[in-house]
Amino acid sequence: MTEPRRGQGDHSAGTGRPAGGSGGCGRPADGEYGDYLSKATKEAGFTFFGRIFALFFGFVASAVIARLLGPDVLGVYVLAWTVVMAMTILTTFGFEGGFVKYLAMYAAQGRTGEAHAVYRYGIRFGAWASIVGTVVIILLRRPLAVHVFKEPRLESALLFIAIAMLPYTLTRLQAAGLRALKDMKHSIIGAEFWYRVPRLIVFLILYALGMRLLGVVFAGVLACVASAVVTFIFLKRTGPYLFAADGGAPILAGELVRYSAQMLAETGTAFALLEGGRLILGIFLASADVGVYNIVVLLAMLATLFTFSFNSIFSPIIADVYHRGRADLMSSLLSAITRWIMLLTLPVYAWLLLSGEAVLGIFGAEFVRGYPALAILATAQMLDATAGSVASCLAMTKYQRFNVYNTLAMAVVSVGLNIWLIPRMGIAGAAVATAASIILVNIARLIEGRLLLGVMPYDRSTLKVLVTAVVLVGGALLARRSLDISTAWYVSAALLALAYAVGLGLTALMGIQEEDRHVLGTVLGKFSRLRNSR
């Protein structure tokens, strides 16, 4: 998994697998489609199971922290952490995307010297920029707390949470390096597990000692340090050539910086799309509203689990395929992966619509009022699952700038809608603003993918997914209107399991294509190996 990709010329012979799916969907005539699909689903399996654990543990940890702190104190912490996340957009400078593209490309070509130079360039920039960012936050903490957010408690939170800037930046860059080298497993463990687990443990200890706001702040800082150290160790094991003592080979620094700058613009505008609502809520409303909305966003992000899992490995594969001139292969992979992202996301979406209030109640009774915002955001994330992979195709080809244009335009729309709707609709207004932006940007992606690359994430088999969507979503809405759904957590868990049983059962009844069997075989085979290794 961590070795540089060899040339694919020897893969077509003797694979013994059909080159395409059933029904004449125009799959490539050689075995490369199956090889790439196997790679994508296998690595997505690593990412999926890691993300499942991270999200489950994160859900439990967030529930514990929310119940102990309440929405008011939680909202202050969320504001402080969001300020740090906003600053790390500048400190990473888009080198996360640059690492995924250039480290993957140089590693595949065996050009370890250039890979070393790219990594060193990005890490040095991130480290120095983080130091500057930390000083800026410390100096501006009082004006931000008193004059912008009108929350005096934020001043002390910002003073200490600014220390997390450097380790958080390094974690993001090192995790991107692991993804570029196809080491999804350690990327997830280092960036997710080693952040979430230490944060909860340290918080519980400090809370027992009587610390509430500063307890969760210090816990977050220490967790960032732990995550940065672990991702560094993992990356050094996976790609030791990145840490070579020599100066490395010369690189086209201008090309790397230009590409990373485009990714910076995309990341910054994506932040405005998805996270800006928290900051604007903090300006117009009370910190308790920020706390409620934070939990709403956390739950809505469950619908992005499969999109993230597949696209994390899909991006470097697309970079490889595109540079080898295999546009037909890219189109086939896109439609197959999108279909499975949709099939696996639909049950989560239907579950959130049906049982969202019960799930919010786990965090505390004060959070239940966020259900309307949750339904809106979950709908937008479900729609994003139907087209989000097109962004990976644009990002890993020469059309990356269109992702920047899309997100820049939609960020302006999102910020404008947030400023207009939040004073009128509260947290539901923030959800509407974000949802509208997500939907519009995905419409733009579909058009550009078709016109620029000749790809679409849908084919005839997508009609089967639509049938599943009608049954699951329609059934969830009907059950919500006609039944008295219990708020017990175990009932909610059973409903999620039922949604998956119905969705996958319908898929089996309508017929599973050969490529779908390939995906299932890869993922279930990975699951069996994980189970047998215990």
Side-chain angles (χ1 to χ4, degrees):
M1 181 172 71
T2 59
E3 296 178 357
R5 187 190 304 280
R6 299 181 181 89
Q8 303 295 328
D10 58 342
H11 287 176
S12 57
T15 60
R17 286 193 298 271
S22 61
C25 294
R27 303 301 183 209
D30 54 44
E32 287 182 293
Y33 176 73
D35 292 325
Y36 275 114
L37 190 59
S38 176
K39 178 68 174 175
T41 51
K42 182 188 297 183
E43 296 297 336
F46 278 118
T47 309
F48 168 67
F49 289 112
R51 290 285 290 176
I52 279 287
F53 173 81
L55 284 176
F56 176 76
F57 188 88
F59 182 90
V60 173
S62 296
V64 171
I65 293 172
R67 291 189 75 92
L68 292 177
L69 295 181
D72 181 40
V73 177
L74 177 64
V76 178
Y77 168 70
V78 168
L79 280 175
W81 182 243
T82 305
V83 170
V84 170
M85 287 197 298
M87 186 64 74
T88 55
I89 293 171
L90 299 176
T91 61
T92 55
F93 195 76
F95 283 114
E96 288 174 285
F99 279 8
V100 170
K101 179 176 181 177
Y102 288 96
L103 287 184
M105 180 176 68
Y106 289 141
Q109 297 170 354
R111 298 161 63 182
T112 57
E114 286 94 333
H116 164 68
V118 167
Y119 175 75
R120 183 183 60 181
Y121 193 100
I123 286 291
R124 286 182 176 179
F125 179 93
W128 283 109
S130 297
I131 295 172
V132 174
T134 300
V135 173
V136 169
I137 289 180
I138 291 174
L139 292 178
L140 295 180
R141 69 187 188 281
R142 183 169 179 79
L144 286 171
V146 176
H147 301 298
V148 177
F149 297 106
K150 301 176 179 60
E151 176 52 75
R153 292 173 294 176
L154 188 60
E155 182 178 354
S156 60
L158 286 172
L159 174 63
F160 295 107
I161 208 167
I163 302 171
M165 180 78 63
L166 177 59
Y168 184 55
T169 297
L170 294 178
T171 296
R172 289 178 57 171
L173 292 176
Q174 288 161 177
L178 287 166
R179 293 197 301 274
L181 300 183
K182 313 297 188 299
D183 193 351
M184 300 303 303
K185 176 175 142 183
H186 287 114
S187 176
I188 293 295
I189 292 174
E192 298 281 357
F193 177 88
W194 279 95
Y195 172 76
R196 297 177 187 273
V197 175
R199 186 182 67 151
L200 179 60
I201 294 173
V202 174
F203 168 71
L204 290 175
I205 294 172
L206 295 178
Y207 184 84
L209 296 175
M211 300 177 66
R212 300 185 72 218
L213 176 58
L214 289 184
V216 72
V217 167
F218 290 146
V221 172
L222 291 175
C224 286
V225 173
S227 185
V229 170
V230 172
T231 52
F232 171 79
I233 293 172
F234 285 155
L235 185 59
K236 194 167 185 178
R237 291 176 181 173
T238 300
Y241 51 85
L242 299 179
F243 303 87
D246 58 51
I251 58 170
L252 296 175
E255 180 181 345
L256 172 64
V257 171
R258 282 192 298 272
Y259 180 84
S260 297
Q262 290 180 338
M263 295 300 292
L264 167 66
E266 182 181 355
T267 303
T269 50
F271 177 87
L273 278 169
L274 300 176
E275 310 291 344
R278 290 188 181 100
L279 296 177
I280 299 173
L281 274 170
I283 294 172
F284 287 107
L285 302 179
S287 59
D289 294 298
V290 179
V292 172
Y293 187 69
N294 180 69
I295 298 301
V296 166
V297 172
L298 171 68
L299 292 178
M301 292 300 288
L302 291 174
T304 69
L305 170 63
F306 298 98
T307 305
F308 176 86
S309 299
F310 279 93
N311 286 348
S312 292
I313 192 63
F314 187 48
S315 293
I317 287 177
I318 285 301
D320 185 14
V321 169
Y322 176 76
H323 288 293
R324 295 176 56 240
R326 294 301 308 271
D328 58 334
L329 200 54
M330 178 167 59
S331 181
S332 300
L333 286 166
L334 175 63
S335 60
I337 287 174
T338 298
R339 183 169 64 255
W340 274 96
I341 290 174
M342 293 169 64
L343 284 171
L344 294 171
T345 303
L346 274 169
V348 177
Y349 172 55
W351 172 67
L352 288 174
L353 290 181
L354 176 60
S355 196
E357 287 168 320
V359 180
L360 284 166
I362 295 174
F363 295 84
E366 307 98 320
F367 294 92
V368 176
R369 63 186 176 94
Y371 174 78
L374 174 60
I376 295 167
L377 278 181
T379 300
Q381 297 296 358
M382 180 64 241
L383 293 175
D384 183 68
T386 69
S389 296
V390 178
S392 297
C393 295
L394 294 171
M396 293 296 114
T397 63
K398 64 181 180 180
Y399 299 110
Q400 162 62 22
R401 65 186 183 278
F402 286 91
N403 273 338
V404 178
Y405 302 153
N406 294 340
T407 50
L408 180 60
M410 292 307 104
V412 173
V413 172
S414 178
V415 171
L417 287 176
N418 270 300
I419 293 173
W420 180 47
L421 294 175
I422 286 175
R424 293 165 173 80
M425 300 174 61
I427 61 175
V432 170
T434 302
S437 302
I438 290 173
I439 293 169
L440 289 173
V441 79
N442 277 292
I443 292 173
R445 285 170 180 165
L446 288 174
I447 295 172
E448 291 157 358
R450 181 63 177 173
L451 295 179
L452 300 175
L453 295 170
V455 300
M456 281 292 285
Y458 319 121
D459 56 21
R460 282 178 292 176
S461 62
T462 307
L463 294 174
K464 298 178 182 179
V465 184
L466 293 179
V467 173
T468 303
V470 170
V471 172
L472 281 175
V473 177
L477 294 176
L478 181 62
R480 180 174 173 80
R481 288 175 58 93
S482 5
L483 301 176
D484 184 15
I485 305 297
S486 172
T487 58
W489 68 268
Y490 51 85
V491 173
S492 181
L495 289 173
L496 177 59
L498 176 62
Y500 269 106
V502 171
L504 296 178
L506 285 172
T507 301
L509 285 174
M510 289 184 287
I512 299 179
Q513 297 179 192
E514 185 62 34
E515 63 200 42
D516 293 332
R517 297 181 190 277
H518 196 77
V519 173
L520 284 173
T522 304
V523 175
L524 293 177
K526 176 62 185 172
F527 178 75
S528 298
R529 288 191 294 273
L530 287 172
R531 184 180 59 188
N532 294 333
S533 66
R534 287 200 290 257

